[in-house]
Amino acid sequence: MLLAVTLNPSVDISYRLDQLKLDDVNRVADTSKTAGGKGLNVARVAHLLGMDVISTGVLGGSLGQLIERLLDQDQMKHQFLHTNQEPRNCIAILHEQMQTEILESGPTLTKDDQKLFLNHFRQLLNNIAVVTISGSIVNGFTKDVYSEMLQIARENHIPVILDTSGESLTESLRNKKALPYLIKPNVNELRQILGCSIGNDQAEWKKILNHQMFAGIPWIVVSQGAEGAFVKHENVFYHVEIPRINVVNPVGSGDATVAGLAKAIEMNLNDEFVLKYGMAAGLLNAMEAQTGYVDQAKFTHYASLVEVQKL
Ligand code: ADP
């Protein structure tokens, strides 16, 4: 079973407008509200790919109840720690072939909430094969909270896929005794944490994936959108090529990739299939309008089109 963590979930609201009028009233007929946050995208895609998944994180208030209702509607299991704080709204306005986003930063929780959550997390680990931790840390929690979760997962011998960026990633890689099993930065996130430009030749990729900061992490999967991925597993390097597809909406493809990787890891598949599953889930998400959604019927076919080359 997969445990998918989202510390800062959201109600994602999408407004479709012919034209966005500034300093004026915009009336919207075409709206949708979905349960959002990167970990909930992972959970939805993993669920669609047939995995048994529990979503967790911290939720409260009436918007928290709405998120749980939306998950129930999709038959997705959840066990959130409940607080009295409302989660955030994230608004995407789709207009004139553009997407304007207004993202709330979310509630500010307390150190006591963090303690309660870590305890809650520990108790959920029975029967869990893989944990995914995705996205930013909720306000008020300490920046080493992911590191603490990695430590708890390690005590329970459970591999963790960590998909976060910036300081929450670098901070989580400090404790070499409790590292994630897999990280999945995209190229921009990698550039940001290493503070250098990244070329495209194999020798340079090997040097980057061998960076001291990543020492001891079994899997490093650097996703590159339509270009596939460069990967290191233990001491073996791979370049992964993906087929050309008709891209509809690539938002959430990284989360879908994490779901595909988690599925293959839970199934104990070999390296080639871990990468085929990850890439196929990512590209299937890019073929759909809805963020964090894949058409499971196409999965085997697209996984077979992914080419994994050992370097
Ligand atoms: P993130 O969403 O985290 O920025 P990427 O954009 O690298 O991550 O996407 C993750 C994976 O999703 C890619 O490795 C690829 O398999 C698939 N993907 C993303 N964008 C595209 C695209 N435009 N065309 C085909 N596949 C894509």
Side-chain angles (χ1 to χ4, degrees), residues 98-153:
M98 290 183 273
Q99 177 158 332
T100 301
E101 299 191 11
I102 299 168
L103 310 179
E104 295 179 13
S105 66
T108 299
L109 303 181
T110 65
K111 299 281 178 298
D112 283 343
D113 292 328
Q114 176 168 333
K115 249 191 233 153
L116 287 171
F117 176 73
L118 289 173
N119 214 14
H120 178 77
F121 175 70
R122 190 188 297 275
Q123 280 164 13
L124 287 175
L125 292 180
N126 267 338
N127 298 321
I128 295 297
V130 183
V131 170
T132 60
I133 300 176
S134 307
S136 54
I137 294 171
V138 65
N139 295 325
F141 278 17
T142 57
K143 59 189 176 181
D144 65 352
V145 63
Y146 286 164
S147 196
E148 297 218 32
M149 292 165 69
L150 286 164
Q151 179 63 41
I152 295 168

Side-chain angles (χ1 to χ4, degrees), residues 184 186 223-226 228 242 245 247 250 252-254 257 279 282-283 286:
K184 193 225 68 67
N186 64 27
S223 65
Q224 299 180 286
I242 58 175
I245 53 157
V247 177
S253 289
T257 297
M279 293 295 105
L283 70 89

Side-chain angles (χ1 to χ4, degrees), residues 161-231:
I161 300 178
L162 178 66
D163 184 14
T164 187
S165 55
E167 202 185 9
S168 46
L169 176 57
T170 51
E171 192 62 38
S172 308
L173 305 184
R174 259 188 228 285
N175 179 5
K176 295 287 176 199
K177 291 203 183 106
L179 287 168
Y181 180 65
L182 187 153
I183 56 171
K184 193 225 68 67
N186 64 27
V187 186
N188 284 336
E189 291 162 351
L190 188 69
R191 214 176 273 135
Q192 191 195 353
I193 57 168
L194 296 181
C196 63
S197 65
I198 297 169
N200 220 7
D201 69 281
Q202 292 184 9
E204 194 171 343
W205 268 108
K206 286 190 180 178
K207 214 169 104 193
I208 285 166
L209 294 169
N210 274 332
H211 194 284
Q212 192 47 36
M213 191 187 289
F214 306 135
I217 304 170
W219 278 97
I220 304 148
V221 178
V222 182
S223 65
Q224 299 180 286
E227 305 302 314
F230 269 98
V231 180

